[in-house]
Amino acid sequence: MATPRALVIVDVQNDFCEGGSLAVDGGAAAASRITAFLAEHASDYDAVVTTQDWHIDPGHHFSDHPDFVDSWPPHCVAGSPGAEFHRNLDVAEVDAMFRKGQYTAAYSGFEGHLAQYGDAAGDAGDSATLDDWLREHHIGAVDVAGIATDYCVRATALDAARSGYATRVLTGLCAGIADDLGPTYEELKGSGIDLA
């Protein structure tokens, strides 16, 4: 019997797509590709989950003079239009949403907590973590897609592998920041993560 597998869709939000405050080239197209993929493959997964940057007061993560390494322009402020999922992403098949980064920088979805549908302002700080939820649903393998390949997708995949999940990054369903994603791919492969 196949290991139960989840699709983890990382941070496909307005601020990370064209026109957003921290836009990644190809973000909107990645959202469309994920939606098309779900239309064909949602039934292949035992669960589909999303993550969202959901910043309330993340301290030095926000800066008026960002270095684009540890500090960034304000983005994905909790409850703002920029924090909403991009319109090209159809979340109808999503089973759970996890919000991260309320009071700190948070790149990995495994730093997120379960959000309730319709809870626009809540920070979900006391609810189940992504790891808790996946284990509760007997998930043993994850596919990771989303934005940005070399930041939050990378961090989520690395944490998934460290947590014992058989992990695969669906590179065609991601958008990255760096012109050369080779080093990111090598790091992922070196951590036992499959690329597809």
Side-chain angles (χ1 to χ4, degrees):
M1 185 172 167
T3 301
R5 181 176 292 273
L7 176 64
V8 180
I9 303 168
V10 176
D11 297 4
V12 181
Q13 296 167 260
N14 287 329
D15 273 346
F16 295 139
C17 295
E18 290 80 354
S21 65
L22 196 53
V24 177
D25 286 343
S32 296
R33 290 195 303 273
I34 292 168
T35 292
F37 178 83
L38 279 171
E40 290 190 24
H41 298 285
S43 62
D44 297 345
Y45 291 95
D46 298 279
V48 178
V49 303
T50 59
T51 72
Q52 282 175 288
D53 252 13
W54 198 254
H55 295 307
I56 296 171
D57 182 9
H60 299 298
H61 186 60
F62 281 0
S63 174
D64 292 331
H65 305 285
D67 62 16
F68 295 93
V69 177
D70 298 309
S71 61
W72 306 87
H75 59 275
C76 298
V77 173
S80 72
E84 293 173 4
F85 294 113
H86 192 272
R87 65 183 178 276
N88 293 3
L89 179 69
D90 183 353
V91 295
E93 298 291 342
V94 171
D95 298 300
M97 299 178 183
F98 295 83
R99 292 175 174 161
K100 59 188 175 64
Q102 286 86 347
Y103 299 102
T104 184
Y107 296 94
S108 169
F110 283 82
E111 297 175 76
H113 290 263
L114 182 64
Q116 303 302 314
Y117 283 97
D119 181 16
D123 67 16
D126 296 326
S127 57
T129 65
L130 175 57
D131 187 42
D132 293 336
W133 192 92
L134 293 173
R135 293 189 191 284
E136 182 180 322
H137 290 79
H138 310 292
I139 301 298
V142 296
D143 286 353
V144 185
I147 307 170
T149 312
D150 36 344
Y151 283 89
C152 295
V153 169
R154 168 189 166 272
T156 301
L158 289 171
D159 273 356
R162 286 187 202 108
S163 299
Y165 298 95
T167 305
R168 179 169 59 187
V169 172
L170 304 180
T171 59
L173 301 182
C174 297
I177 294 173
D179 291 331
D180 179 10
L181 293 171
T184 296
Y185 293 152
E186 289 305 314
E187 180 185 13
L188 294 172
K189 287 190 290 187
S191 297
I193 295 165
D194 292 330
L195 304 180

